[in-house]
Amino acid sequence: MKIQILTTPGCSGCKTVEKYLDELGLHYDVIDVTENPEFLQKYPIFTAPGIIIDDKLEFAGTPSKKKLLSMLKLE
């Protein structure tokens, strides 16, 4: 499973999602969209974080831990 988090500088919700994934022991890539604007063309999010699973935008914003587990099919 490929997990990517689209972030912006100072995004507190992004840190929350990273914490959840760290607790689950899952590998993920963090992509700062201010440095990689091409990701916004492919995944037009209006709020960070954007959570991409296997190249599909699954969620924009900060999900609850339960919602994240559901998206990852770990629940």
Side-chain angles (χ1 to χ4, degrees), residues 5-70:
I5 303 173
L6 303 182
T7 69
T8 55
C11 172
S12 61
C14 301
K15 297 296 181 202
T16 300
V17 172
E18 290 176 42
K19 179 183 168 205
Y20 291 160
L21 293 171
D22 288 342
E23 288 172 358
L24 294 167
L26 297 173
H27 173 76
Y28 56 92
D29 295 309
V30 176
I31 300 160
D32 184 334
V33 295
T34 63
E35 296 176 8
N36 300 282
E38 65 275 11
F39 279 87
L40 287 178
Q41 291 175 346
K42 186 172 182 181
Y43 306 105
I45 61 169
F46 296 100
T47 186
I51 301 170
I52 301 168
I53 301 171
D54 294 331
D55 299 316
K56 181 181 176 203
L57 179 63
E58 293 289 343
F59 200 84
T62 307
S64 66
K65 192 170 189 178
K66 183 176 181 177
K67 175 70 177 170
L68 182 61
L69 289 170
S70 176

